[in-house]
Amino acid sequence: MTQTTKPKIIVSGIQPTGGLHLGNYIGAIRNYVTLQDEGRCFYFLADLHAITQPHVPAELHAQTREMAAALIACGVDPDKAVLFNQARVPAHAELCWLLNGTARMGWLNRMTQWKDKAGKNSEGQSVGLFTYPVLQSADVLLYQATHVPVGEDQKQHIELIRDIANKFHHDFAPDVFTVPEPLIPAIGARIMSLRDGKAKMSKSDPSDMSRINLSDSVDDIASKIKKAKTDPEPLPSDLAGLEGRAEARNLVGIYAALAGTSEADVLRDFGGQGFGSFKPALADLVVSIFAPITARFKELCADTDMLDAILVRGASRAREAAGPTLARTYEALGLVK
Ligand code: TYM
């Protein structure tokens, strides 16, 4: 008997606000690029997610376009992958509403991202921030995704997507959705802040020194790495020696992820050396990868018509792909016959 393997459908998104940083690149975007040759890919700018927190309407459209330019500069090819923004594909908001009947308050209440973002003021947050993972579920389930490339911080959201799909199948009709798997890189799944090895590198960190942005100059990158928080000890020669040294571990992890090697190999090369020699080597490596991407990003940003045309075309392909699943969901819920 011949075995047929289901073709991979890969879906992932990034919020357009705040620009792309090294954590996004290592944790997710590099994977987007590799996966383009392994299946049908849908990559989108999560502009509908961006409105769940305070934002500047006059800037959102330009930020969405810029994030599209950033993804293309990193190697996302709009001829291979379907690249679009959520707002141009109403099926995302529609399916989100349909799934709101299945998602449970208790599940959403347990989301660590909700707890982190809401802090002590959950009463003052938008309802959208609370139901954010339901929209994320719609994003993925609409396209029958088999795989979702993300950084470690999104793992819990992908588990929730699986729970929602399974409950929907149990309550209404089987096999409406594909239950997806997360794809999380072995190295670099959680890049930490350059100022605090216990906090994630994030666009919402008020200190720009905490992250390396795609828009940073070569000098900015060198200076941020030079000033990155470390400890006075030299680098150890093996992994055990990184225990309790979160900042050192983070820099070694970044080096390993970008050099395509393991942390153990990095320590074999740099063990015994101080940060005075390791940091310039790391800065050179980051610059060697980011500088060409940044140059391409700037060129692309200048051509707004071309970027808009790519997003319009991507949205039309996405609408077509999303249609059948949306229709089956309406039917399964008894809303249409
Ligand atoms: P966002 O915009 O915060 O981040 C985009 C991607 O970058 C990864 N990432 C990191 N990886 C490693 N280290 C870090 N410090 C780091 N910071 C961010 C994230 O894990 C993510 O993969 N909710 C999502 C966007 C989204 C989505 C989706 C993702 C909306 N719908 C459907 C997948 C599928 C978010 O805010 O990612």
Side-chain angles (χ1 to χ4, degrees):
M1 206 167 71
T2 48
Q3 270 215 318
T4 50
T5 41
K6 221 176 158 188
K8 276 189 191 166
I9 301 181
I10 295 134
V11 176
S12 197
I14 180 165
Q15 291 206 55
T17 40
L20 191 134
H21 59 69
L22 189 65
N24 300 134
Y25 177 74
I26 295 177
I29 312 307
R30 280 194 325 171
N31 247 347
Y32 287 14
V33 177
T34 324
L35 290 163
Q36 289 180 126
D37 297 315
E38 293 182 22
R40 183 149 198 234
C41 297
F42 295 86
Y43 298 136
F44 59 86
L45 300 318
D47 48 4
L48 292 180
H49 278 110
I51 63 164
T52 61
Q53 286 198 290
H55 77 288
V56 184
E59 290 172 9
L60 184 54
H61 189 71
Q63 288 173 323
T64 300
R65 217 192 250 138
E66 275 192 17
M67 190 57 89
L71 297 191
I72 299 169
C74 289
V76 169
D77 178 348
D79 288 329
K80 288 186 184 168
V82 179
L83 179 63
F84 64 102
N85 59 310
Q86 279 168 325
R88 284 196 170 96
V89 184
H92 288 247
E94 260 181 277
L95 185 62
C96 173
W97 182 254
L98 300 182
L99 296 176
N100 272 335
T102 297
R104 303 288 98 179
M105 295 281 287
W107 298 354
L108 297 177
N109 248 326
R110 281 195 285 279
M111 294 294 112
T112 53
Q113 201 147 308
W114 156 250
K115 289 190 216 168
D116 289 349
K117 286 191 176 163
K120 291 195 173 71
N121 182 24
S122 59
E123 293 288 308
Q125 302 302 325
S126 73
V127 173
L129 189 66
F130 185 65
T131 61
Y132 180 114
V134 186
L135 177 59
Q136 187 160 345
S137 306
D139 297 336
V140 169
L141 298 177
L142 262 181
Y143 301 100
Q144 304 291 335
T146 56
H147 296 90
V148 186
V150 282
E152 160 57 51
D153 62 342
Q154 296 298 315
K155 192 168 173 226
Q156 197 187 27
H157 284 170
I158 311 303
E159 278 158 13
L160 180 92
I161 299 175
R162 295 169 58 88
D163 289 343
I164 291 180
N166 285 325
K167 182 167 168 55
F168 189 98
H169 291 157
H170 174 268
D171 291 354
F172 304 112
D175 301 330
V176 174
F177 306 117
T178 300
V179 182
E181 300 286 340
L183 284 179
I184 297 175
I187 299 182
R190 191 173 178 83
I191 302 296
M192 309 310 277
S193 154
L194 298 180
R195 308 302 300 163
D196 174 0
K198 294 192 176 64
K200 189 182 71 166
M201 184 178 286
S202 155
K203 39 193 147 198
S204 52
D205 191 318
S207 165
D208 194 55
M209 293 302 283
S210 69
R211 64 186 158 259
I212 293 171
N213 307 298
L214 187 60
S215 53
D216 285 345
S217 67
V218 170
D219 288 348
D220 289 338
I221 295 176
S223 131
K224 284 179 179 182
I225 292 179
K226 191 169 174 202
K227 292 187 183 143
K229 187 177 165 202
T230 40
D231 54 46
E233 302 299 317
L235 281 168
S237 302
D238 57 25
L239 285 173
L242 287 176
E243 204 56 48
R245 299 177 66 187
E247 285 81 14
R249 172 180 286 276
N250 186 39
L251 296 187
V252 169
I254 294 174
Y255 194 103
L258 291 179
T261 172
S262 68
E263 286 150 323
D265 279 344
V266 176
L267 294 179
R268 211 164 293 133
D269 290 346
F270 288 95
Q273 297 187 33
F275 287 99
S277 51
F278 180 65
K279 281 178 167 179
L282 177 61
D284 285 348
L285 179 60
V286 173
V287 166
S288 73
I289 291 174
F290 257 30
I293 298 179
T294 305
R296 178 94 184 105
F297 168 64
K298 289 189 176 147
E299 271 169 35
L300 289 162
C301 283
D303 199 342
T304 53
D305 288 348
M306 185 262 305
L307 293 169
D308 283 343
I310 287 173
L311 293 178
V312 165
R313 181 167 67 103
S316 139
R317 293 163 74 195
R319 279 196 297 270
E320 200 180 308
T325 302
L326 187 64
R328 272 158 63 202
T329 312
Y330 272 101
E331 272 172 41
L333 291 169
L335 292 163
V336 293
K337 270 230 227 170

